Amino acid sequence: MAKKREEEPPKGAPAWQSTFADLMNLLLCFFVLLFSMSTVDAEKLAAVAASFSQTFSIFQAGATAIGDGMLISNGVSQLNELDAYINSTGKAADAEVQTEDFMKEFEEAKMAAAEELAEQVSEAVAESEYDSDIDVEFTSQYVSLTLNGAVLFDSGSAELKEESKPILDKVGQILTRYADSTVEIEGHTDNVPIHNSKFESNDVLSDYRALAVFNYFMDTTALDPAYVKHSGRGEYVPVADNSTAEGRMQNRRVEIKIFTALAGE
């Protein structure tokens, strides 16, 4: 007797399962969207949007510059450039602060070095019998030994007095201790005009006086002339009032500057 063949169930999932799966996917997407929106601070989002709109014209027409040739006028496509610009300006600001800090520390180091050198020179001058004839001052660049012009030269002359040479010998000994430093000899005058057969002006007179001191050191010390400069400054750098006799006497002087190692001379 023939057996009845059992009918095979239709292949694939039932139609209701496909509809149910679609519904579940839609619900899942809906709840994910709700969750993601719940984590955003609406106030901050609005503030950021307003800031970008007003400053960089991303959401409104316009072309606001944010650097040399960099314009935000093409919309979101330039957000990467905006990010790079902000990062670069931040780094530049940090670098500028670091540079300012370094320059401040360097200036303090120069002042400390000059002060230490001034103390050493002052001690050497104080040990001699000429401390009243030599004034010691300093800046962050150098230590200055000032000699009164009347002690070194007669009026209108660039020839060293004999009585000035022991003072210059003492200064030469001090300079020899710092033979590796740059030394500058400056001649200064008052503002009383001079014009004679030897010197046509105060500029020329101050030049010759500085040169006379330079030549004396070259003859009496082992200083390297490559490290010693001389110049005449005339009447242009007064230290006192030229309207008084006392002030003019102070302005007639020779300054010998010893530059510190950090001065960059």
Side-chain angles (χ1 to χ4, degrees):
M1 181 177 175
K3 293 182 179 179
K4 186 179 178 181
R5 186 177 178 180
E6 294 181 358
E7 293 182 0
E8 295 182 358
K11 296 181 179 180
W16 68 269
Q17 288 187 3
S18 298
T19 303
F20 183 79
D22 290 339
L23 178 60
M24 292 299 102
N25 287 333
L26 290 173
L27 287 174
L28 177 62
C29 291
F30 176 73
F31 284 112
V32 169
L33 181 61
L34 288 179
F35 178 79
S36 64
M37 293 181 65
S38 68
T39 60
V40 175
D41 189 326
E43 232 178 76
K44 290 184 179 178
L45 179 61
V48 170
S51 175
F52 273 94
S53 176
Q54 294 173 8
T55 307
F56 301 119
S57 301
I58 289 179
F59 300 111
Q60 297 177 358
T64 302
I66 59 166
D68 296 335
M70 190 184 300
L71 298 177
I72 299 300
S73 58
N74 295 329
V76 183
S77 62
Q78 292 194 11
L79 280 177
N80 290 334
E81 296 181 23
L82 172 62
D83 183 62
Y85 173 76
I86 293 175
N87 289 337
S88 66
T89 53
K91 293 176 182 177
D94 291 342
E96 184 176 351
V97 170
Q98 292 176 0
T99 301
E100 290 178 356
D101 291 342
F102 172 78
M103 293 303 296
K104 182 179 179 181
E105 292 177 2
F106 183 59
E107 191 65 26
E108 291 174 353
K110 288 198 300 182
M111 184 60 74
E115 187 173 4
E116 181 179 357
L117 177 60
E119 290 178 359
Q120 296 172 1
V121 173
S122 296
E123 289 177 2
V125 171
E127 292 172 357
S128 71
E129 57 186 287
Y130 307 110
D131 56 326
S132 60
D133 299 313
I134 305 172
D135 292 329
V136 180
E137 297 178 336
F138 71 94
T139 69
S140 62
Q141 300 288 322
Y142 56 79
V143 174
S144 175
L145 291 82
T146 301
L147 307 178
N148 191 298
V151 175
L152 301 178
F153 306 99
D154 289 325
S155 178
S157 171
E159 184 176 349
L160 289 169
K161 293 181 178 180
E162 283 298 320
E163 55 266 34
S164 71
K165 293 180 179 179
I167 301 174
L168 291 176
D169 288 338
K170 180 59 182 179
V171 174
Q173 294 173 9
I174 295 173
L175 296 180
T176 303
R177 300 180 186 180
Y178 310 101
D180 294 333
S181 301
T182 298
V183 173
E184 184 168 2
I185 303 168
E186 293 182 351
H188 298 265
T189 68
D190 57 28
N191 67 346
V192 177
I194 183 174
H195 184 78
N196 55 34
S197 58
K198 290 186 177 180
F199 310 110
E200 62 185 43
S201 67
N202 282 324
D203 292 345
V204 178
L205 175 60
S206 63
D207 275 333
Y208 273 85
R209 286 183 170 180
L211 180 60
V213 175
F214 169 83
N215 288 335
Y216 186 82
F217 287 147
M218 294 303 102
D219 293 338
T220 59
T221 70
L223 291 172
D224 186 347
Y227 292 99
V228 184
K229 301 186 291 184
H230 57 87
S231 63
R233 305 302 302 276
E235 63 192 67
Y236 306 113
V237 193
V239 293
D241 187 358
N242 273 309
S243 63
T244 66
E246 183 180 354
R248 290 192 295 272
M249 183 178 66
Q250 293 181 48
N251 290 331
R252 296 190 296 270
R253 69 197 189 278
V254 171
E255 291 184 6
I256 302 170
K257 298 177 179 179
I258 308 172
F259 287 84
T260 66
L262 297 178
E265 285 292 318

